[in-house]
Structures are given as C-alpha cells and as structure tokens.
Amino acid sequence: MMSHQLVALAIVAICGFATGSLVETPGVTQAPPPLPPQVNPARSRVRNNFRTPVSSSLPLNPARCDYKELMTNLHDRVGILVTLDEDQRHRLEVIDKKLDQLVDSSEARMESMKVQQLNFQQRLDSFEHIQRLSRNTLDELKGETDQVFGPRAVRELKHRLRNRRKMNDISRTVRAIPQDQYTAASGSSDARDFNSSSLSVSDRLDALATLLTSTALNVRAVQWDVAKLAQSINRQRRVSHRKGLGQGPGQGQGQQPPIFYGPSGPGGYQPSSFTRPPSSCQQSFLAIEGILKVQLTPESESFYVACDEDWTVILNRSSDELNFERGWLDYKDGFGNLAGDFFIGLNKLHALTSSAIHELRIVLEDFAGNVAYAGYSTFAIGSEKELYPLNLLGRFQSDLTPSAGDSLSYHAGAKFSTVDADNDNCIDCSCAQKHKGAGWYNNCGTSNVLGQYFQQNYGRAGETGIFWDTFQGKDYSLKRIRMMIRPVNEEEARR
C-alpha cells in the first residue's frame, strides 16, 4: 500500500513540475500559500530601468495531469512483467529438472562403467592367475620331460638332424637304370630294396593326388545337390504361400531363394565364394542348431546370429531369467544367449540393416497361448553417431493373420534410449526410466518390447511390462516376443 502511495506522489510531483501548478491529491494536506513580501515605499519611488511584464487580467488555467491513467498504464506494465517473470521461472524450473535428469543419467552411466571396469579387472586378474598357473605347470612338465628324455637343446638338435635326413631322402634324384643293368642287378637285395623304396614314394604321391581329386569332386557334387535341394524347398514354400497354406513367421511374401556359396553349376567352381561365410540366414542350411556365423562383406568381421529358417532373430524373450533394464553399452554390444533370451546389439543390427534392405517380422504370444504377428515391409536403424534412430520403417503388413496390429509406426524416426541415455522426445520425463527398459521412444510409446518380464500379475503389469498396445493393451505383459529380419529382393523393395 505504501509503495502505491509513493508512486502516486511521484506522479503528482512530476505533473506539478511540468505544469508549474499544484495539484491536490487525495490523502495529502495542502500547505497555505506564503504571505506577500513587504514593499518599502521609499524604494518603490525609485525608477526601475527594467521592464515589468504586464500581467494578464485573465487567470491562467493550469494543465491537468491525469495520474489515474498513468497509474493504470503502470499497473498494466507491472502485470505484464509479472507474467513474463512467472513464464521465465517455469522455464527455469523445467531446465533444472532436465539438468537433474541429465546428472542422474550421467551418474547411472558412470556407475555402470565402474561396474563394468571392476568386472573387467576381475576377469583380467583371473586370466593372469590362470596364466601363472599354466606357466608353472608347463615348467614342471618341461622339468619332468628333461629328466626322462634329456635336455631340451639336445632333443631339438636330434629332431632337426632327423628332419634334415628325411628331407634329403625325399629330395634325392632317382636315376633311371637300364633294363640290362636292372636284370643283372635283380639278384641283389640292395638294388631290390632301392627300387622298391623309390617306387613306393611315387606310388604314394600318385595315390594322394588321386584321393584329393576324388574328394574335391565328391564335395562339389554334394554342394550342387544341396543347392538344388534348397531351390526345390524354396519353390515349394512359394507354392504353399500362394495356396494360402501357411502364414507363419517363416512363410512370408517375396521370399528370396538362398544364395549358395559353392559351385556355379555342374561344371563350374568358385573357390573364393566357397571359402567366404554366408551373409544372412538365407543360407540357414549351413547353420548348426540354429546358430550361423555370418560375414556381411569380405572386409568386415564375422559374428554369430540365431536363425529361424531364413529369418535372422534380433530379439527373443520367453522368461524372466535375463534382465533387460540395462545401460547404453550393453545395448550397443548386445547381451544374452543366442540359444535362449538375448538382444543382438545395436552395432550388429545397424550393420545388418545397412548391408541390404530388410523386412521386419514380430511374433507375439500372451499367457493364454494366443499368437499374433506384426510385419513391416522395410526396417533399418542409423549409426551410433546418430544415436541409432529408427530411420526406416515401411508399410505395415496387414495381410498377416492373426494380426497384432500396428504399434510401432508411432516410434518411427525416434532415437534409441536407455535408462542412462535419455534420447526421447519427452521434455519432462525419461521414457526408458518410466517404462523400465529401452527402445525407440517418441513421447514414450505404444509398445515396450524391451520392458520388464512379469511371470505373475501380468494382466495388471502396467506400462513397465512387455506390451503391444494393439494386442492385449498397455496393461498386459506378454509371455513371448520375437523380432526377426531378413533381406528382401529388389522387386519387393521397390514395391
């Protein structure tokens, strides 16, 4: 209240100074006017050389200063400033929350790195211990060997001399003996032994060459038979698909026949292609118990993948034995067992989807045994520098039956987030911490395939469970989920 009176007095003072008059304000007592000065009559007779202005007979009307209007304008401006101050304060609070979240995520990442460093140090210590034990055991074995067979230097020298004699015997030139000399010397046992030994070496070399040639021919024939068998199997799959006999995850549309790294035909041979590992599970006939070693390019490193016929499995979840609430480094390199529950890793997934155009198939199952499918015509993610965004997600394949619905298109274009790396589009929250998992979150999401596994109370798990919104809703946590990719041919990619 006092501040408003002071503002009013200041406005009144300004108005009075500008107009040269006094303005009566409410609440302020006006002082009486001063008395006129006494004029000396003697001095009044003295002539004044200065001109005296003639006063007007009419009184001047002092200009009025409307302080109420000024107060209104000032009050409006103060209100605007208060509103702006509240807006800035709210923004600062949001920034403080985001900074706190960044600090928490950084601390979580540091803790994860510390744990991994401690684990690595423990493994290194155990490896050094095993190495020391191996050295001690090797030294003991060397000492026992030296006691039994003599010093090592002597044994090495004897071994070298023995090898040198063998090389000299093998490389010695066999002279051709004339027939008469051979007949004359046929009675000699030394000559018979010499010729029999020379012929036996030649016979052995010829037999070895024949064996190698026959083995190569047999391998080529087996490879050609396997290639023809694979082509016939794929042909039967396409015919079955056209007749509508199957809609399972291994019987999709546009299936490309497997590329066989072997002979190019009945009379051709490709040694460079034969030695190179396969590049995808479309050569699944080479897999051992569903595990296949692939190499995408001749220059890249090879790695193992799990195959479901010609599909490459990138995620499998069927129990609560493996924790999926992990940090960025774990999801980058992958974790789990290829024969059980696992995640392939973002680096390998980026390499696979960058080498060729792939399609995506997701198989979902609830605890009642109901199975549903969700498929997308194309699928690819970006690199780690881009934070592994879901760059490519094609048309939803609604012809798969029973269909689980489309609960992934909402995540298209989003970056990958973990509990220690918040890369989602939610300003006031961390979707990975909210859903207790990881994934391509937009403003959180309509699916959470990397969430927590609920063995009990799966019907009321909430958004922290493994849910697919268009299949049993967000509150239901699924029993099994499997994500698979496979390359598509050029015609399917253009379509």
Side-chain angles (χ1 to χ4, degrees):
M1 185 66 184
M2 184 63 68
S3 61
H4 290 292
Q5 290 181 359
L6 291 176
V7 172
L9 288 175
I11 295 173
V12 169
I14 294 172
C15 294
F17 179 77
T19 58
S21 62
L22 296 176
V23 180
E24 183 179 359
T25 59
V28 179
T29 305
Q30 184 174 1
L35 295 175
Q38 297 293 330
V39 182
N40 191 359
R43 294 183 61 182
S44 63
R45 296 192 186 99
V46 180
R47 183 178 179 182
N48 191 358
N49 293 328
F50 297 95
R51 295 182 180 180
T52 303
V54 180
S55 60
S56 176
S57 60
L58 298 176
L60 294 175
N61 295 327
R64 293 186 177 180
C65 180
D66 194 352
Y67 71 92
K68 293 184 178 180
E69 183 178 356
L70 293 176
M71 285 291 293
T72 303
N73 294 335
L74 183 60
H75 185 270
D76 293 340
R77 292 186 180 183
V78 170
I80 293 173
L81 290 176
V82 170
T83 303
L84 293 176
D85 184 42
E86 291 179 354
D87 189 13
Q88 294 293 334
R89 187 179 305 168
H90 177 68
R91 292 185 180 179
L92 288 175
E93 290 177 356
V94 173
I95 293 174
D96 289 338
K97 290 181 180 179
K98 203 67 177 180
L99 289 175
D100 293 339
Q101 292 176 0
L102 289 176
V103 170
D104 295 338
S105 64
S106 300
E107 292 178 355
R109 185 178 296 182
M110 289 297 296
E111 292 296 333
S112 177
M113 293 179 65
K114 288 180 181 178
V115 172
Q116 291 180 0
Q117 185 178 5
L118 181 60
N119 189 12
F120 177 76
Q121 188 66 31
Q122 293 176 354
R123 291 182 180 180
L124 183 61
D125 294 339
S126 63
F127 176 76
E128 291 178 353
H129 180 66
I130 293 172
Q131 188 177 11
R132 287 194 296 270
L133 293 177
S134 301
R135 287 178 180 176
N136 295 332
T137 305
L138 185 60
D139 293 337
E140 293 177 358
L141 291 175
K142 287 181 180 179
E144 294 177 358
T145 304
D146 292 340
Q147 292 178 1
V148 175
F149 298 101
R152 184 179 180 183
V154 177
R155 288 187 283 109
E156 289 181 353
L157 181 60
K158 290 181 180 180
H159 185 67
R160 290 175 185 173
L161 293 176
R162 191 182 303 111
N163 290 337
R164 189 175 299 173
R165 286 196 299 268
K166 288 182 180 180
M167 292 298 296
N168 292 332
D169 293 340
I170 293 174
S171 61
R172 184 181 296 125
T173 304
V174 180
R175 294 178 296 174
I177 302 176
Q179 186 67 26
D180 53 354
Q181 295 182 5
Y182 176 77
T183 304
S186 59
S188 175
S189 62
D190 295 338
R192 285 196 301 270
D193 293 337
F194 174 76
N195 286 300
S196 62
S197 62
S198 62
L199 291 175
S200 64
V201 171
S202 178
D203 292 340
R204 289 177 182 176
L205 292 176
D206 292 340
L208 182 60
T210 303
L211 178 62
L212 292 175
T213 304
S214 61
T215 303
L217 293 175
N218 291 331
V219 169
R220 287 169 55 188
V222 171
Q223 291 171 352
W224 181 242
D225 292 339
V226 171
K228 291 193 295 184
L229 180 61
Q231 291 177 359
S232 62
I233 291 174
N234 289 324
R235 192 180 301 111
Q236 291 295 330
R237 287 179 181 172
R238 288 194 293 269
V239 172
S240 300
H241 181 71
R242 293 192 189 98
K243 292 181 179 180
L245 296 179
Q247 295 290 342
Q251 298 175 350
Q253 291 183 350
Q255 184 170 353
Q256 183 181 1
I259 304 171
F260 182 72
Y261 292 92
S264 59
Y269 184 68
Q270 300 174 356
S272 60
S273 298
F274 175 72
T275 57
R276 176 184 168 186
S279 60
S280 69
C281 285
Q282 288 185 337
Q283 297 90 41
S284 58
F285 53 85
L286 299 176
I288 300 175
E289 296 183 357
I291 308 299
L292 180 65
K293 186 177 183 180
V294 297
Q295 185 178 12
L296 303 179
T297 61
E299 295 80 14
S300 62
E301 296 182 358
S302 59
F303 55 90
Y304 290 93
V305 297
C307 296
D308 186 352
E309 295 186 358
D310 55 349
W311 293 87
T312 301
V313 183
I314 63 175
L315 171 68
N316 186 55
R317 304 196 64 181
S318 59
S319 65
D320 59 349
E321 297 179 356
L322 187 62
N323 181 22
F324 277 73
E325 190 177 359
R326 295 172 176 260
W328 182 266
L329 296 178
D330 289 339
Y331 275 97
K332 172 185 173 182
D333 299 329
F335 53 89
N337 186 359
L338 293 179
D341 293 349
F342 72 93
F343 178 70
I344 192 173
L346 295 170
N347 273 345
K348 296 175 184 178
L349 185 57
H350 169 65
L352 286 169
T353 56
S354 300
S355 63
I357 298 177
H358 285 69
E359 63 175 319
L360 175 66
R361 182 69 53 82
I362 305 173
V363 185
L364 308 103
E365 182 181 353
D366 60 11
F367 281 87
N370 301 316
V371 180
Y373 304 98
Y376 298 86
S377 59
T378 53
F379 173 78
I381 68 170
S383 62
E384 183 182 11
K385 184 178 180 181
E386 303 170 305
L387 302 178
Y388 300 111
L390 185 54
N391 285 336
L392 185 61
L393 188 66
R395 175 182 56 83
F396 175 72
Q397 298 173 349
S398 58
D399 53 346
L400 294 176
T401 55
S403 177
D406 182 12
S407 293
L408 190 61
S409 295
Y410 176 76
H411 301 252
K415 298 178 177 61
F416 197 85
S417 297
T418 58
V419 291
D420 60 347
D422 184 11
N423 302 317
D424 54 53
N425 295 325
C426 181
I427 299 177
D428 299 333
C429 68
S430 173
C431 295
Q433 295 179 2
K434 177 181 177 182
H435 293 290
K436 296 188 179 300
W440 294 278
Y441 295 112
N442 192 350
N443 189 358
C444 293
T446 56
S447 61
N448 190 35
V449 297
L450 299 173
Q452 285 186 327
Y453 191 95
F454 283 84
Q455 190 74 32
Q456 298 176 355
N457 297 326
Y458 47 82
R460 301 184 302 273
E463 295 186 356
T464 59
I466 307 171
F467 70 84
W468 190 267
D469 190 18
T470 54
F471 179 66
Q472 304 297 348
K474 289 186 176 182
D475 295 331
Y476 190 96
S477 183
L478 300 174
K479 180 181 180 181
R480 289 189 179 91
I481 185 168
R482 173 174 284 200
M483 297 180 66
M484 304 175 293
I485 60 174
R486 71 174 177 185
V488 297
N489 53 30
E490 296 180 358
E491 181 180 356
E492 289 290 332
R494 286 195 298 268
R495 189 182 309 173

